[in-house]
Amino acid sequence: MNNKEHKTLKKRLHEIIYEADTPAGKLFDVILLILILISVLVVMLESVESLNAIYGTYFQIIEWIITILFTIEYILRVFTVKSPLKYIFSAYGLIDLAATLPKYLGLFIGKTEALLILRSLRLLRIFTILKIARYIGASNHLIRAIKASRAKIGVFVFAVVVLSIVLGTIMYLIEGTANSGFTSIPRSIYWIVVTMTTVGYGDIAPVTALGQFFATLVMIMGYGIIAVPTGIVSSEYSDVKKYKTNTQVCNNCNENNHGDDANFCHQCGERL
Amino acid sequence: MNNKEHKTLKKRLHEIIYEADTPAGKLFDVILLILILISVLVVMLESVESLNAIYGTYFQIIEWIITILFTIEYILRVFTVKSPLKYIFSAYGLIDLAATLPKYLGLFIGKTEALLILRSLRLLRIFTILKIARYIGASNHLIRAIKASRAKIGVFVFAVVVLSIVLGTIMYLIEGTANSGFTSIPRSIYWIVVTMTTVGYGDIAPVTALGQFFATLVMIMGYGIIAVPTGIVSSEYSDVKKYKTNTQVCNNCNENNHGDDANFCHQCGERL
Amino acid sequence: MNNKEHKTLKKRLHEIIYEADTPAGKLFDVILLILILISVLVVMLESVESLNAIYGTYFQIIEWIITILFTIEYILRVFTVKSPLKYIFSAYGLIDLAATLPKYLGLFIGKTEALLILRSLRLLRIFTILKIARYIGASNHLIRAIKASRAKIGVFVFAVVVLSIVLGTIMYLIEGTANSGFTSIPRSIYWIVVTMTTVGYGDIAPVTALGQFFATLVMIMGYGIIAVPTGIVSSEYSDVKKYKTNTQVCNNCNENNHGDDANFCHQCGERL
Amino acid sequence: MNNKEHKTLKKRLHEIIYEADTPAGKLFDVILLILILISVLVVMLESVESLNAIYGTYFQIIEWIITILFTIEYILRVFTVKSPLKYIFSAYGLIDLAATLPKYLGLFIGKTEALLILRSLRLLRIFTILKIARYIGASNHLIRAIKASRAKIGVFVFAVVVLSIVLGTIMYLIEGTANSGFTSIPRSIYWIVVTMTTVGYGDIAPVTALGQFFATLVMIMGYGIIAVPTGIVSSEYSDVKKYKTNTQVCNNCNENNHGDDANFCHQCGERL
């Protein structure tokens, strides 16, 4: 195989692996997607003891086949990409590696060693699902809206945490001696979060009249608080969508963030 | 009965069955609605063992009467519609058939055969309620808003599923050995969804300190995540409504933002 | 007391009772508000057996005092209002009557008669709180937004009910034989509503793998569905607010629903 | 140390303590933040009996160190600020004092006295976390949106409370005799709030068919009600954001809807 043939092969493989325009490329994507789903399914089912007892060996075989296929995929990706190092240390590269490595590492750990490590390695394989991130990508608006709201939601979450600590302590004072599960401040804070987010497990619940009255206040408060992140995302999302519709870029200064009704660039005054 | 009379009868029946403009048509609709509600109610009450033991035979009689009436309705619909085949294979046609068929099929299945099939057939009759879909229809905006958000909500649901699988596995690692219900990854994922959607049954709840801390993080995360679909629908719905409002454009000043009930341009007073 | 004095007294009393502009009128309102709150509090506490055993007689005395005061208020309202009949059959008039009547009716029912009736009468007094409706009133926007969304929310609620019946039946098929609380279709529908609205008591919870998988789907669906009413109210509320700012009424046709930027009436073209 | 030196020192300390522009000021802020977090963490862990039994003395030592540091901070703040009295009686001043005082007060309370007071004092220290409020501050929009919605949310909460009392009483009537936890009206109201806010502990749940049917109605109602505060905040937040965007008005065409970063009018190209 001379150098030219090598180039062509590399180029063709690149097209198949990294693009989805050709039939071969599409087929590759579909097969990869199926393998990812099988892999995740097997790890999940393996954790169900009753199933693992019966089908354990089949699960092992399937896992080894998929791991080897993923390894081949990884090697091909490194081989066909222009700058292998850049790929290896990219998020996608690390995820692809993480999808294969744990299975191999498992071989080097003897049965005599800590089971917890083995188990953790086994479960690490669930992160194979992150390979799927390649196929989401699309929804730019959503991501932009979330990014735009990030700072405000951060402040909001911080305020909720502070509020939870204060309310949790008050609840601990009220119910602490009532033998109702509020045995420490951290547990009371856990309960406050369970209540304010309207999850409400019921594993801990107030039993005193005062505790129940206070719980009622916390719930109604939570009602109002849940409105805040929704309002933020809702509003930011509307804004992001508005900006999108306009794809005009100023010829003079390359500013591209123009409103829908803009006739002139708001940066330099150039007619759009 | 000659051909002309036949035509007229067919036309009159079509008016009664498919339209609601004439008094007879309205009466037909009201009777049908009542029959649907009775039918669904009977299937529901039949499943309550204590009631079925006493009123079982009455339920059977009511069901047979309604089934026969629905059969007549179905035959009339096929008979009076212009293109019977199109109706038969339309969603409405299939629903109308599904509302009658299970009862007849029940006759052909002997008592010696699997009870599960009989029971399933019996319950299939609850889908009679889908006949009611004819009377909803109206809310075009809502449906348009949901359709417009579908793709984004799809991506969102997919991202939530991926997140649930990853978080569920982490939770399984944390609580798996703590004898607290997190016995397998699928169950842990079930718990994550129960928590993130703020349902919170409490059938499974973390017992370790680390598990409760992690649960707190998941809940606060869920708080932020629930804002996303709301923001999407809210924003899309506002957009859809805007488009409806009016498509009139003033001939004089080209203002186009008129309300539904506007007869004159609010900018220049020109008649629209 | 001649007729003129009578008129003046009636007018002054009307001012005190129905208006809040004068100091006496304000005082009347504050006293009434306090009486309402005490009345409701007493009915609530009376239902706590441990408290009723000790303070029962005090509760009775307070109730009689308040009932007599409310009776005086009712008589004064009838006496001072311009058209007594209109007041008596208005919502406020009926609520005012309902706040006093049950206590008197209680006298005519001997101890030998059904306790349930007595108890119901007693509890009817909690509706005294509806007297407070007089003091809310204000928030026109909110009410207008809710009214504007009513039809759509109605359709939405109807669709949710249909969906709940269908999903409840499916859940009954899945979990019905698993001894997990899904003993009948109505109970399964109750569970679906508990789940879809993210309440999640946990009194009934799926135990089979398939049931839990289906529950997961229902929860994620509920996640999306909860976004719909929020989106509707949010959007309608924004609209209502926009319209509010403009209080212009057309001199020609009395149309008052003009947008903020309207210079001409959109009904008749008259300059505003 | 002469007067001038004193002035300079005071000024420098003021810069370090109250501002975050200089490296020393930033360092001061970071150290303070860490101390606050440690302080809160220690109070929380101290309430966990198993941890307090082992590390109790260490907790005491850390608390004393931090209390002394906070005392020094408080004295320095009073000393360096322009108007000490204004600071002392400001919210920040009171919070700073409240972060140190409980520890000292604990010294004056002998062991023979009521443990509850000691315990309350101990827990008061959790309010140290309010010192952190200095570092939030930022999110003006959010606070403005919440302020703008306050009156409406107030009315809404009031309406929810009235509704809860009425519905709670009805539920008490339905389930009161069914031995299912609805033992008094206050408890029933507590349950209504738990249900309507979609928290749903499950500590109290209806057992009668009628009770479950009524619960279903309450849940669907709660579904609609939760949309209201969200709609309000969402709408107000959008408004507040609009106002911020920009207050520039074009001199040429009077267009005033410019983005934050606009230098030229997007309508006519005039420099703003």
Side-chain angles (χ1 to χ4, degrees):
Chain A
M1 175 161 81
N2 63 26
N3 201 26
K4 208 177 172 182
E5 261 177 2
H6 176 82
K7 269 261 171 75
T8 322
L9 178 65
K10 190 173 164 181
K11 212 178 162 185
R12 271 196 55 207
L13 276 169
H14 185 275
E15 235 175 66
I16 293 169
I17 296 172
Y18 284 94
E19 282 158 54
D21 302 338
T22 58
K26 268 180 200 163
L27 187 70
F28 178 83
D29 275 10
V30 170
I31 291 173
L32 193 63
L33 205 59
I34 291 168
L35 286 179
I36 294 168
L37 293 178
I38 293 174
S39 168
V40 169
L41 202 71
V42 166
V43 177
M44 276 167 59
L45 294 179
E46 223 178 2
S47 77
V48 184
E49 263 172 61
S50 59
L51 292 175
N52 197 36
I54 309 173
Y55 306 108
T57 32
Y58 298 104
F59 290 159
Q60 286 299 319
I61 292 165
I62 295 170
E63 280 196 348
W64 271 113
I65 293 170
I66 289 174
T67 303
I68 288 161
L69 289 173
F70 280 169
T71 313
I72 294 168
E73 182 221 345
Y74 183 71
I75 292 164
L76 284 178
R77 279 189 191 273
V78 172
F79 170 70
T80 58
V81 89
K82 263 187 184 168
S83 47
L85 277 175
K86 214 172 155 186
Y87 163 71
I88 288 169
F89 293 104
S90 73
Y92 286 143
L94 292 171
I95 289 169
D96 287 341
L97 187 65
T100 57
L101 222 58
K103 197 76 193 160
Y104 294 116
L105 284 176
L107 287 178
F108 296 103
I109 294 167
K111 278 180 185 168
T112 51
E113 281 172 86
L115 258 166
L116 193 73
I117 296 169
L118 244 176
R119 213 167 139 241
S120 303
L121 273 177
R122 194 138 47 97
L123 295 178
L124 260 174
R125 268 176 294 124
I126 208 102
F127 292 100
T128 310
I129 203 161
L130 294 178
K131 279 171 91 89
I132 236 163
R134 266 201 194 84
Y135 302 99
I136 302 186
S139 67
N140 284 322
H141 292 224
L142 209 61
I143 288 164
R144 263 210 276 168
I146 290 169
K147 263 189 194 158
S149 346
R150 208 172 33 181
K152 278 150 208 160
I153 285 190
V155 171
F156 169 74
V157 165
F158 191 70
V160 166
V161 168
V162 169
L163 192 65
S164 301
I165 291 176
V166 171
L167 294 176
T169 308
I170 294 171
M171 202 64 191
Y172 175 61
L173 261 178
I174 295 174
E175 287 268 329
T177 53
N179 203 6
S180 60
F182 295 84
T183 51
S184 68
I185 294 180
R187 271 183 81 88
S188 301
I189 292 169
Y190 163 74
W191 177 84
I192 287 284
V193 173
V194 166
T195 299
M196 273 215 313
T197 57
T198 77
V199 171
Y201 288 128
D203 53 347
I204 310 174
V207 294
T208 65
L210 186 60
Q212 291 186 340
F213 179 72
F214 188 71
T216 305
L217 294 187
V218 170
M219 278 175 243
I220 291 177
M221 202 185 292
Y223 221 45
I225 288 171
I226 211 167
V228 175
T230 311
I232 295 171
V233 173
S234 190
S235 168
E236 296 293 343
Y237 181 75
S238 287
D239 281 18
V240 164
K241 255 181 48 185
K242 256 181 239 155
Y243 280 112
K244 119 193 140 171
T245 11
N246 200 310
T247 53
Q248 290 177 303
V249 175
C250 177
N251 291 322
N252 193 33
C253 69
N254 282 324
E255 171 73 10
N256 66 355
N257 202 5
H258 302 295
D260 264 352
D261 56 344
N263 300 323
F264 293 89
C265 174
H266 59 214
Q267 279 286 338
C268 65
E270 181 81 10
R271 175 170 275 279
L272 292 172
Chain B
M1 176 159 82
N2 63 26
N3 200 27
K4 207 175 173 183
E5 260 177 3
H6 177 83
K7 269 261 170 74
T8 323
L9 177 66
K10 190 174 164 182
K11 210 176 163 187
R12 271 196 55 207
L13 276 169
H14 186 274
E15 234 175 69
I16 292 169
I17 295 172
Y18 283 95
E19 281 156 55
D21 301 339
T22 57
K26 265 181 200 161
L27 188 69
F28 178 84
D29 275 11
V30 170
I31 291 172
L32 193 64
L33 204 60
I34 292 169
L35 286 179
I36 294 168
L37 293 178
I38 292 174
S39 168
V40 169
L41 202 71
V42 166
V43 177
M44 276 167 59
L45 296 178
E46 225 178 0
S47 77
V48 185
E49 263 172 61
S50 59
L51 291 176
N52 198 36
I54 310 172
Y55 307 108
T57 33
Y58 298 104
F59 290 159
Q60 286 300 320
I61 294 165
I62 295 170
E63 280 196 347
W64 272 113
I65 294 170
I66 289 174
T67 303
I68 288 162
L69 289 173
F70 280 169
T71 312
I72 295 169
E73 182 220 347
Y74 183 71
I75 292 166
L76 284 178
R77 278 188 191 273
V78 172
F79 171 70
T80 59
V81 89
K82 263 187 183 167
S83 46
L85 278 175
K86 213 172 156 188
Y87 163 71
I88 288 170
F89 293 105
S90 73
Y92 287 143
L94 292 171
I95 289 169
D96 287 341
L97 188 65
T100 59
L101 222 58
K103 195 77 194 158
Y104 295 115
L105 285 175
L107 288 177
F108 296 103
I109 294 167
K111 278 179 185 168
T112 51
E113 281 173 85
L115 257 166
L116 194 72
I117 296 168
L118 245 177
R119 211 165 141 244
S120 304
L121 274 177
R122 192 137 50 95
L123 296 177
L124 260 175
R125 268 177 293 123
I126 207 100
F127 293 101
T128 310
I129 202 158
L130 294 177
K131 278 172 91 90
I132 235 162
R134 268 201 192 85
Y135 303 99
I136 303 186
S139 68
N140 285 321
H141 293 224
L142 209 61
I143 287 164
R144 264 209 277 167
I146 290 168
K147 264 188 193 157
S149 347
R150 209 171 31 179
K152 278 151 208 161
I153 285 190
V155 171
F156 168 73
V157 165
F158 190 71
V160 166
V161 169
V162 170
L163 192 65
S164 301
I165 291 176
V166 171
L167 294 176
T169 308
I170 294 172
M171 201 63 191
Y172 175 62
L173 261 178
I174 295 173
E175 287 268 331
T177 52
N179 202 6
S180 59
F182 296 83
T183 51
S184 69
I185 294 180
R187 271 184 81 87
S188 301
I189 292 168
Y190 163 74
W191 177 84
I192 287 282
V193 173
V194 167
T195 299
M196 273 215 313
T197 56
T198 78
V199 171
Y201 289 127
D203 52 348
I204 310 174
V207 294
T208 65
L210 187 59
Q212 291 186 339
F213 178 72
F214 187 70
T216 305
L217 294 187
V218 170
M219 279 175 243
I220 291 176
M221 203 186 290
Y223 221 45
I225 289 171
I226 211 167
V228 176
T230 310
I232 294 171
V233 172
S234 190
S235 169
E236 296 293 344
Y237 181 75
S238 285
D239 280 19
V240 164
K241 252 180 51 183
K242 254 181 240 154
Y243 283 113
K244 119 193 140 172
T245 34
N246 211 307
T247 52
Q248 289 177 302
V249 175
C250 177
N251 291 322
N252 192 34
C253 69
N254 282 324
E255 172 73 9
N256 66 354
N257 202 7
H258 303 295
D260 263 353
D261 55 344
N263 300 323
F264 292 89
C265 174
H266 59 215
Q267 280 285 339
C268 66
E270 181 82 10
R271 175 170 275 279
L272 292 172
Chain C
M1 175 160 82
N2 62 26
N3 200 27
K4 207 177 173 183
E5 260 177 1
H6 176 82
K7 269 262 170 72
T8 323
L9 178 65
K10 190 173 162 180
K11 210 177 164 187
R12 272 196 55 206
L13 276 169
H14 185 275
E15 235 175 66
I16 292 169
I17 295 171
Y18 283 94
E19 282 158 54
D21 301 339
T22 57
K26 267 181 200 163
L27 187 70
F28 178 84
D29 275 8
V30 170
I31 291 173
L32 193 64
L33 204 60
I34 292 168
L35 287 178
I36 293 168
L37 294 178
I38 292 175
S39 168
V40 169
L41 201 71
V42 166
V43 177
M44 277 168 59
L45 296 179
E46 225 177 1
S47 77
V48 185
E49 263 172 60
S50 59
L51 291 176
N52 197 35
I54 310 172
Y55 307 108
T57 33
Y58 297 104
F59 290 159
Q60 286 300 320
I61 293 165
I62 295 170
E63 281 196 348
W64 273 113
I65 293 170
I66 289 174
T67 303
I68 288 162
L69 289 173
F70 280 169
T71 312
I72 295 169
E73 182 220 346
Y74 183 71
I75 293 166
L76 284 179
R77 279 190 190 272
V78 172
F79 171 70
T80 60
V81 89
K82 263 187 183 168
S83 47
L85 278 176
K86 213 173 156 187
Y87 163 71
I88 288 169
F89 293 105
S90 73
Y92 286 144
L94 292 171
I95 289 169
D96 286 343
L97 188 64
T100 59
L101 223 58
K103 196 76 193 160
Y104 295 115
L105 285 175
L107 288 178
F108 296 103
I109 294 167
K111 280 181 185 169
T112 51
E113 280 173 86
L115 258 166
L116 193 72
I117 296 168
L118 244 177
R119 212 168 139 240
S120 303
L121 274 177
R122 193 138 48 95
L123 295 177
L124 261 174
R125 267 177 294 122
I126 209 104
F127 292 101
T128 310
I129 204 160
L130 295 178
K131 278 170 91 89
I132 235 161
R134 266 201 195 84
Y135 303 100
I136 302 186
S139 68
N140 285 322
H141 292 226
L142 209 60
I143 288 165
R144 263 210 275 168
I146 290 169
K147 264 189 192 156
S149 345
R150 209 171 30 181
K152 278 151 208 161
I153 285 190
V155 171
F156 168 74
V157 165
F158 190 71
V160 166
V161 168
V162 170
L163 192 65
S164 301
I165 291 176
V166 172
L167 295 176
T169 307
I170 295 171
M171 201 63 191
Y172 173 62
L173 262 178
I174 296 173
E175 286 268 330
T177 52
N179 203 7
S180 60
F182 295 83
T183 52
S184 68
I185 295 181
R187 272 183 80 88
S188 300
I189 292 170
Y190 162 74
W191 177 84
I192 286 284
V193 173
V194 166
T195 299
M196 273 216 311
T197 56
T198 78
V199 171
Y201 290 127
D203 52 349
I204 309 174
V207 295
T208 66
L210 186 59
Q212 292 185 338
F213 178 71
F214 188 70
T216 306
L217 294 187
V218 170
M219 278 175 243
I220 290 175
M221 201 185 293
Y223 221 44
I225 289 172
I226 210 166
V228 176
T230 310
I232 294 171
V233 173
S234 190
S235 168
E236 296 293 345
Y237 182 76
S238 287
D239 281 18
V240 165
K241 253 181 51 187
K242 257 181 239 153
Y243 282 112
K244 116 191 143 175
T245 11
N246 201 311
T247 53
Q248 290 177 303
V249 176
C250 176
N251 291 322
N252 193 33
C253 68
N254 282 324
E255 171 73 9
N256 66 353
N257 203 4
H258 302 295
D260 264 353
D261 55 344
N263 299 323
F264 293 88
C265 174
H266 60 215
Q267 279 287 339
C268 66
E270 180 81 12
R271 174 169 275 277
L272 293 172
Chain D
M1 175 159 81
N2 63 24
N3 201 26
K4 208 179 173 181
E5 261 177 1
H6 175 82
K7 270 261 170 75
T8 322
L9 178 65
K10 191 174 162 180
K11 211 177 162 184
R12 274 195 54 207
L13 276 169
H14 185 275
E15 234 175 69
I16 293 170
I17 295 171
Y18 283 94
E19 282 158 53
D21 302 338
T22 58
K26 267 181 200 162
L27 187 69
F28 178 84
D29 274 9
V30 170
I31 291 173
L32 193 64
L33 204 59
I34 292 169
L35 286 179
I36 294 168
L37 293 178
I38 292 175
S39 169
V40 169
L41 201 72
V42 166
V43 177
M44 277 168 59
L45 295 179
E46 225 177 2
S47 77
V48 184
E49 262 172 61
S50 58
L51 291 176
N52 197 35
I54 309 173
Y55 307 108
T57 34
Y58 298 104
F59 290 159
Q60 286 300 318
I61 293 165
I62 295 170
E63 280 196 348
W64 272 112
I65 293 170
I66 289 174
T67 303
I68 288 162
L69 289 174
F70 280 170
T71 313
I72 294 168
E73 183 220 346
Y74 183 70
I75 292 166
L76 283 179
R77 280 190 189 272
V78 172
F79 171 69
T80 59
V81 88
K82 260 186 186 169
S83 46
L85 278 174
K86 213 173 156 185
Y87 163 71
I88 289 170
F89 292 105
S90 73
Y92 286 143
L94 292 171
I95 289 169
D96 287 342
L97 187 65
T100 58
L101 223 58
K103 196 77 193 160
Y104 295 115
L105 284 176
L107 287 178
F108 297 103
I109 294 167
K111 280 179 184 169
T112 51
E113 280 174 88
L115 257 166
L116 193 73
I117 297 169
L118 245 175
R119 212 167 140 242
S120 304
L121 274 177
R122 194 138 49 97
L123 295 178
L124 260 174
R125 267 175 296 123
I126 209 105
F127 292 100
T128 310
I129 204 162
L130 294 178
K131 278 171 91 90
I132 236 163
R134 264 200 195 86
Y135 303 99
I136 302 185
S139 68
N140 284 322
H141 293 224
L142 209 62
I143 288 165
R144 265 208 276 167
I146 291 169
K147 264 189 192 157
S149 345
R150 207 172 33 181
K152 278 151 209 159
I153 285 190
V155 171
F156 168 73
V157 165
F158 191 71
V160 166
V161 169
V162 170
L163 192 65
S164 301
I165 290 176
V166 171
L167 294 175
T169 307
I170 295 171
M171 201 64 191
Y172 174 62
L173 262 177
I174 295 173
E175 287 268 330
T177 52
N179 203 6
S180 60
F182 295 83
T183 52
S184 67
I185 294 180
R187 271 183 81 88
S188 300
I189 292 169
Y190 163 74
W191 176 83
I192 286 284
V193 173
V194 166
T195 298
M196 274 216 311
T197 56
T198 77
V199 171
Y201 288 128
D203 51 348
I204 310 173
V207 295
T208 66
L210 186 60
Q212 291 185 341
F213 178 71
F214 187 71
T216 305
L217 293 187
V218 169
M219 278 175 244
I220 290 176
M221 201 185 293
Y223 221 44
I225 289 172
I226 211 166
V228 175
T230 311
I232 294 171
V233 172
S234 192
S235 168
E236 297 292 344
Y237 182 75
S238 287
D239 280 19
V240 164
K241 254 181 49 186
K242 254 181 240 154
Y243 283 113
K244 121 194 138 168
T245 33
N246 210 308
T247 53
Q248 288 177 304
V249 176
C250 176
N251 290 323
N252 192 35
C253 69
N254 282 325
E255 172 72 11
N256 66 354
N257 203 5
H258 302 295
D260 264 353
D261 55 344
N263 299 324
F264 291 89
C265 174
H266 60 216
Q267 280 287 339
C268 66
E270 181 81 12
R271 174 170 276 278
L272 293 171

